[in-house]
Amino acid sequence: MFTNTRLLQYNNVSPFCVYIFDNFLDKEYQNIILQKTIELTKEDSLNHVTNVKANMTKTSELLKHEEYNFLKGRIATFLNLCFTLRAAHWGEKRNINFLNMWGMQHFKNHYTKNHTHGEVDWSGAYYLRCPDETNIYFPDVNDRDVITENSLYLFPGGFQHYTDRHVSDTSRVSIAFNCNISWMPGAGF
């Protein structure tokens, strides 16, 4: 499996950008967590009170299910790779701590309003299924991307982002999460 990597960035010297990894998971595992996320988002547990106007689990729900452990490990590996390649202190050991992880299912006319994830180090969205041509927008880098199935987006928690209104009769299914990074100076890899 080949993972294609792309960047959305304001300039080429800042490590703060949007990292996009296409073909992120193998199809078999992707289907397992797609089915689990659909099951968990049959109803909206948050009653559309967040910036996500779609069916959504509680924000820490997916951390309770072992089906998502491999996904967390793969995200952590890729986030570590981003730091190794671009951060000034690339040689320092770090731990990536998932604060929360939730599932979303956007039905026709659902959307995500412009928002940030606040005071967390890194946030992300992984798209399990995207049957229409939906854009995700990142005003902080003045760019957007057409969401494709099996793509991961990693970005600083303070970055604004939002999506188009969903127009397909087939739902869009995604997972979002927040991470903090604990640095361990002098420990090396």
Side-chain angles (χ1 to χ4, degrees):
M1 178 180 69
F2 174 75
T3 301
N4 184 42
T5 305
R6 299 178 287 126
L7 296 174
L8 302 178
Q9 58 188 8
Y10 183 72
N11 64 51
N12 65 354
V13 295
S14 174
F16 298 108
C17 61
V18 180
Y19 298 92
I20 306 166
F21 301 98
D22 298 320
N23 303 314
F24 188 64
L25 296 174
D26 70 73
K27 291 294 182 187
E28 183 178 343
Y29 178 66
Q30 178 189 353
N31 191 51
I32 291 169
I33 61 174
L34 170 64
Q35 296 309 314
K36 184 66 175 180
T37 305
I38 288 171
E39 173 190 323
L40 293 171
T41 57
K42 283 182 181 172
E43 296 188 19
D44 180 28
S45 64
L46 298 179
N47 298 315
H48 292 235
V49 297
T50 70
N51 293 309
V52 177
K53 304 307 177 193
N55 286 16
M56 183 174 152
T57 67
K58 292 181 180 175
T59 57
S60 293
E61 182 64 32
L62 302 190
L63 296 178
K64 300 174 187 175
H65 300 271
E66 67 181 30
E67 291 92 340
Y68 299 97
N69 288 345
F70 180 79
L71 176 63
K72 289 188 313 186
R74 188 139 166 95
I75 291 167
T77 297
F78 276 70
L79 191 51
N80 263 318
L81 177 64
C82 294
F83 275 99
T84 300
L85 295 174
R86 298 204 52 168
H89 36 75
W90 57 269
E92 294 180 1
K93 186 169 176 61
R94 59 203 154 268
N95 288 322
I96 296 178
N97 307 303
F98 283 84
L99 304 173
N100 43 42
M101 180 180 274
W102 60 97
M104 296 168 285
Q105 186 169 189
H106 288 74
F107 293 101
K108 193 169 191 170
N109 292 318
H110 285 173
Y111 61 97
T112 300
K113 293 169 60 174
N114 192 5
H115 68 285
T116 72
H117 290 216
E119 299 294 319
V120 299
D121 294 336
W122 286 88
S123 297
Y126 171 64
Y127 289 89
L128 292 152
R129 180 170 71 194
C130 191
D132 64 353
E133 193 166 300
T134 299
N135 286 293
I136 184 167
Y137 298 87
F138 295 96
D140 292 292
V141 291
N142 195 30
D143 214 338
R144 65 182 169 84
D145 192 56
V146 176
I147 299 168
T148 57
E149 180 177 299
N150 199 13
S151 290
L152 172 71
Y153 294 79
L154 294 173
F155 48 91
F159 268 29
Q160 297 177 62
H161 56 286
Y162 61 98
T163 65
D164 291 330
R165 189 173 297 273
H166 187 65
V167 297
S168 175
D169 290 327
T170 303
S171 65
R172 180 174 73 233
V173 181
S174 58
I175 293 170
F177 54 89
N178 292 314
C179 303
N180 276 342
I181 298 174
S182 304
W183 296 95
M184 305 161 113
F189 288 115

